[in-house]
């Protein structure tokens, strides 16, 4: 049981980090250089530095995005600082001593903290070990109590000159209701005046817990406790606690043999860990307060922590994965006048993105250095070389799995394209994949290599010139100007002429040279597909770098299936892709099993807003490219999902989207064999420390999934009083009755202040949701963990069971109870108090899966597996259906022609 055997270990803080090291902190803007002692607190919550005057600056570990040393660290530009560090001396050792720590609330608003050590190579170990703490999955997904503990650690770090905790700091930490804070301090026999101070020894963890229990009482947990402990006794025994864990905190779908339920003797360790009373511990008893801390502990994390690790099969072809992808990666803001920055390539790659985009344009004389910018807009320019260097630096810091560079190439100069290719070769070095792997030649019918095959490799996606290889078809016109990724077709390697190929000789309206475009034409080009239609000829040097990701113009799903070339890819604007998935959903899924597709925002999204990626994931599109600089709902969902599987940037698609022998239609309500639909119920019970001010609050719950899933967005009522410290909602559960494919669904929970001010949110894949009572620690809009706010919820996820199956489900899960109810009904039937059981039953709706009996009435449907077969072994009609129908799963409809014939025969 994971509750007693933790899957993940909290980050390790090495002794030298907490002991501290002498550095000089410098700042270019103020031209200052100050000696400091840099430390990490023993719990790994904060990086902080102390100046000689005892002033301290504190940096939350979760806000750190990168650490850099050597030539990748910041170097002073100010001449005064350069002289201080002897930077301009020939034998300067500055690069061996430097350390830069990058932090910020999102990928754009960044702060660079620059340090120089007194000894060489000290910064390197600090950089590596700080990032090891930051990258530990439990840093972002810590338990509720860990976040509460974080507050205490910070209070004990911020001491006054006398070495005491200023009460003022406690008021600032819990600002929503000062009177309640004063009352809680009084209850702990601590001073409460704003000018008072508390000796740290008088505020240990036990007193802090008492303070929190008085400040934020938990009546809803008291109710849970009361309903599960021995009546008239103020405690819960080991037996009661084990029963509570097995009944409420355990997934009811687990097999008892493979995943044994908790036993009373096993839960004693939990009582020892969370029960504040020593006497209760000796007696094996848990008090209501102990229950509160147990439900705040890591054993009750809302997500399945094992799924945060790299747990999926990484040996499937590339086309079998969803790939974390970015659009116009270089932009920090809008598409029309935003600032471009090489730093965005670092930040997106560090966030786990595996496909970045480079819009390349010709550089101006005299340097003629290729640039990256958004053409025909007022966005700023960056050097192509700077972007390549940023990618080389950060490509494999977070994930070792392959990175795809999606080029939109407008450089119509052979010389400058050759320079681009040279930068790629020299800067990337061995990281660049220049030739296809021997096992996976570029031939029809050969699948793509796997992410594991391509570990540590960078793949180029750029137009492939047809004239380079002698095997290319001369009929394909060289240098055709078309939309990005919609270009000339690479000829099949066996030189066969395909009848379905697009007649490339016929120029389209948009196939014109840049010089011939007037302003109106440019606007037209930008209206939907952006500058896509202006891509230019791929010259030999750049073309030779392209192998497994060859962009072509999309013709049709039929032609693509006929050619069967896994190494070609087509890109679609969100509008074109939406049109295809609504008209040809099954074909789109089949296409994405074999080869890759890339979706990108329409050109009219000048504010860099994003489309919802879910609809394109539903048909298996691999690279659903989003604007990473905009932390809207689509981007929040993208970041939350790709946080799983080790944040490697690849998520394995469901087998229905991979296996050639299976067909999947995301719009169908039909059953899918092997797939069991789920029912998810969410009860919002309470909130804790939701806002800095006393305000009314409410919560929204939403499900993202397939079109035929239960599509509802629920909302609690507004709290009756302005209480943001511990609001309680007493409402019915929000039920998402039928989630067709849980592997494609995710749950979003958002807390709001009255008036619509955002408090925090959490997006969790349905397959990673844990059943039971849990604290949901909320995230910021940019998916950063928030220390204070949390929601206490009850989640229950189980297999979907149609109404027509209710009796059968009860009978299988609890036969004694079922037959007891049957006996009671029999007694009532004799008294004539109820109708005869099973008569005049209506046909189930299309959503259910009843089976007609010989009279045409619907009997209880079959169960999955042998249990159901045994239960109905005496029913010949059912046996007949079982033998000829496909395997049955919950929520399925049998639509085989054999079943229909059998039903007609019976009804005849």
């Amino acid at each position: 049981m994971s509750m007693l055997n933790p899957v993940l270990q909290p980050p390790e803080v090495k002794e030298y980090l907490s002991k501290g090291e002498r550095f000089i902190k410098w700042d270019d803007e103020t031209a200052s250089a100050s000696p400091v002692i840099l430390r990490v607190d023993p719990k790994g919550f904060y990086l902080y530095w102390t100046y000689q005057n005892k002033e301290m600056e504190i940096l939350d570990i979760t806000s750190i995005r990168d650490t850099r040393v050597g030539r990748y660290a910041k170097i002073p530009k100010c001449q005064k600082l350069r002289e201080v560090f002897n930077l301009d001396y020939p034998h300067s050792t500055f690069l061996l001593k430097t350390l830069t720590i990058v932090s910020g609330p999102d990928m754009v608003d960044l702060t660079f903290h620059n340090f120089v050590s007194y000894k060489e190579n000290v910064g390197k170990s600090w950089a590596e070990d700080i990032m090891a703490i930051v990258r530990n999955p439990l840093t972002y997904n810590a338990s509720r109590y860990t976040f509460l503990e974080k507050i205490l650690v910070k209070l004990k770090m911020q001491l006054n000159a006398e070495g005491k905790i200023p009460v003022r700091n406690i008021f600032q930490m819990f600002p929503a209701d000062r009177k309640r804070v004063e009352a809680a301090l009084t209850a702990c026999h601590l001073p409460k005046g704003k000018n008072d101070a508390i000796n740290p020894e008088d505020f240990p963890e036990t007193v802090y817990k008492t303070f929190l229990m008085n400040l934020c009482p938990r009546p809803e947990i008291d109710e849970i406790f009361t309903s599960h402990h021995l009546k008239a006794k103020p405690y819960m025994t080991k037996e009661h606690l084990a029963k509570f864990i097995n009944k409420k905190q355990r997934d009811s779908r687990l097999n008892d043999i493979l995943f044994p339920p908790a036993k009373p003797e096993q839960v004693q360790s939990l009582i020892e860990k969370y029960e504040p009373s020593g006497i209760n511990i000796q007696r094996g008893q848990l008090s209501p307060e102990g229950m509160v801390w147990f439900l705040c502990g890591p054993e009750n994390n809302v997500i399945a922590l094992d799924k945060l690790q790299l747990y999926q099969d990484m040996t499937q072809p590339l086309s079998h994965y969803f790939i974390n992808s970015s659009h116009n990666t270089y932009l920090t803001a809008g598409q029309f006048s935003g600032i471009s920055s090489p730093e965005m390539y670092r930040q997106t790659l560090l966030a786990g993105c595996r496909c970045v985009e480079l819009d390349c344009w010709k550089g101006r004389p005299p340097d003629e250095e290729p640039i990256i910018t958004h053409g025909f807009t007022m966005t700023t320019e960056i050097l192509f070389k700077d972007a390549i260097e940023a990618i080389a630096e950060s490509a494999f810091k977070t994930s070792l799995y392959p990175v795809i560079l999606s080029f939109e190439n407008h450089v119509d100069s052979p010389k400058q394209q050759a320079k681009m290719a040279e930068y790629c070769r020299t800067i990337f070095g061995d990281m660049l994949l220049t030739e296809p792997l021997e096992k996976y030649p570029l031939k029809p019918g050969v699948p793509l290599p796997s992410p594991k095959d391509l570990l540590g490799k960078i793949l180029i996606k750029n137009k492939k010139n047809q004239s380079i290889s002698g095997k290319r078809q001369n009929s394909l016109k060289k240098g055709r100007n078309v939309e990005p990724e919609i270009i000339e077709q690479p000829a099949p390697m066996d030189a066969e002429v395909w009848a379905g190929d697009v007649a490339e000789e016929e120029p389209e309206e948009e196939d014109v040279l840049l010089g011939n475009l007037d302003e109106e034409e440019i606007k037209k080009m930008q209206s939907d597909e952006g500058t896509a239609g202006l891509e230019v000829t791929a010259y030999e040097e750049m073309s030779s770098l392209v192998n497994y990701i060859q962009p072509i113009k999309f013709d049709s799903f039929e032609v693509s299936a006929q050619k069967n070339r896994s190494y070609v890819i087509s890109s679609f604007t969100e509008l074109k892709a939406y049109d295809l998935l609504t008209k040809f959903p099954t074909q789109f899924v089949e296409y994405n099993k074999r080869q890759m597709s890339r979706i990108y925002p329409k050109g009219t999204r000048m504010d860099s807003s994003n489309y919802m990626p879910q609809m394109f994931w539903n048909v298996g599109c691999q690279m659903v490219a989003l604007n990473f600089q905009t932390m809207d709902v689509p981007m929040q969902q993208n970041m939350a999902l790709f946080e799983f599987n080790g944040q490697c940037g690849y998520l394995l698609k469901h087998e229905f989207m991979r296996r050639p022998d299976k067909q999947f239609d995301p719009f169908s309500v039909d059953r899918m064999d092997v797939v069991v639909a789920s029912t998810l119920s969410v009860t919002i019970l309470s909130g804790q420390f939701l806002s800095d001010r006393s305000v009314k609050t409410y919560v929204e719950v939403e499900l993202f999934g397939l079109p035929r899933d239960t599509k509802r967005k629920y909302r609690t009522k507004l709290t009756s009083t302005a209480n943001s410290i511990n609001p309680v909602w007493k409402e019915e559960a929000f039920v998402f009755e039928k989630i067709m494919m849980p592997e494609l669904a995710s749950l979003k929970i958002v807390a709001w202040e009255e008036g619509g001010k955002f408090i925090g949110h959490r997006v969790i894949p349905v397959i990673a949701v844990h059943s039971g009572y849990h604290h949901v620690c909320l995230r910021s809009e940019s998916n950063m963990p928030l220390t204070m706010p949390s929601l206490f919820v009850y989640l229950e996820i189980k297999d979907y069971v149609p109404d027509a199956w209710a009796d059968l489900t009860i009978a299988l899960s609890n036969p004694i109870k079922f037959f007891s109810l049957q006996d009671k009904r029999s007694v009532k039937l004799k008294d004539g108090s109820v109708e005869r059981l099973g008569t005049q039953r209506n046909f189930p709706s299309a959503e259910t899966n009843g089976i007609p009996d010989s009279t045409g009435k619907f009997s209880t449907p079959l169960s999955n597996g042998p249990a159901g077969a045994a239960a109905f072994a005496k029913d010949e009609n059912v046996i007949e259906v079982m033998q000829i129908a496909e395997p049955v799963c919950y929520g399925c409809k049998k639509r085989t022609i054999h079943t229909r014939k059998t039903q007609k025969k019976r009804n005849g």
Side-chain angles (χ1 to χ4, degrees), residues 341-399:
S341 170
E343 184 62 38
M344 283 303 293
Y345 287 98
R346 295 187 183 93
Q347 292 304 315
T348 52
L349 291 166
L350 290 166
C353 180
R354 297 290 87 186
C355 176
V356 296
E357 185 176 18
L358 302 91
D359 286 359
C360 307
W361 296 82
K362 188 166 66 172
R364 290 178 288 274
D367 297 331
E368 294 193 354
E369 283 289 330
I371 60 170
I372 291 177
T373 188
H374 197 193
F376 306 106
T377 67
M378 296 171 65
T379 55
T380 61
E381 303 170 356
I382 59 173
L383 292 177
F384 175 83
K385 182 182 180 183
D386 290 347
I388 296 300
E389 287 178 341
I391 292 167
E393 174 194 344
S394 303
F396 303 111
K397 265 192 170 184
T398 299
S399 168

Side-chain angles (χ1 to χ4, degrees), residues 429-453:
D430 291 341
M431 293 187 290
L432 184 65
L433 186 74
T434 55
E435 299 290 338
L437 305 181
E438 190 176 338
K439 280 176 62 180
Y440 300 96
L442 301 179
K443 293 182 178 179
V446 178
L448 288 168
S450 71
K452 187 175 180 181
D453 292 323

Side-chain angles (χ1 to χ4, degrees), residues 478-490:
K478 177 182 175 182
R480 186 165 168 262
N481 299 312
V482 288
E483 57 201 271
E485 296 92 34
I486 296 184
I487 65 156
E488 58 269 66
Q489 309 266 359

Side-chain angles (χ1 to χ4, degrees), residues 11 13 40-47 61-62 133 139:
V13 180
V40 177
D41 77 274
K43 296 279 187 181
F45 296 147
Y46 302 100
L47 174 74
I61 283 285
T62 62
I133 298 172
T139 299

Side-chain angles (χ1 to χ4, degrees), residues 419-468:
K419 187 179 283 190
M420 289 165 60
E422 183 61 20
Y423 286 147
C424 289
R425 290 182 184 274
T426 56
I427 295 171
F428 292 149
D430 291 341
M431 293 187 290
L432 184 65
L433 186 74
T434 55
E435 299 290 338
L437 305 181
E438 190 176 338
K439 280 176 62 180
Y440 300 96
L442 301 179
K443 293 182 178 179
V446 178
L448 288 168
S450 71
K452 187 175 180 181
D453 292 323
L454 297 168
L455 274 174
K457 291 298 181 183
I458 293 174
L459 285 70
I460 302 289
K461 170 180 164 290
N462 188 80
K463 291 174 71 172
K464 185 87 170 170
N465 195 319
Q466 303 313 300
S467 64
I468 295 168

Side-chain angles (χ1 to χ4, degrees), residues 9 53 61 86 90 169-170 172 177 200 234 293 342 388 428 510 562 592-593 601 606 624 682 747 866 879:
Q9 295 298 326
N53 62 2
I61 283 285
N86 296 326
N169 289 358
I170 298 176
Q172 290 172 354
D177 194 325
W293 300 123
I388 296 300
F428 292 149
E510 65 216 44
Q562 183 188 16
N592 285 321
K593 290 178 184 178
M606 300 307 287
V624 182
V682 182
L747 176 71
I879 291 294

Side-chain angles (χ1 to χ4, degrees), residues 493-514:
M493 301 303 288
D494 56 4
E496 182 178 347
V497 178
W498 294 92
D501 276 341
V502 177
E504 299 261 311
E505 292 83 359
E506 296 179 17
E508 298 178 10
E509 288 183 311
E510 65 216 44
D511 296 339
V512 289
L513 295 174
L514 293 179

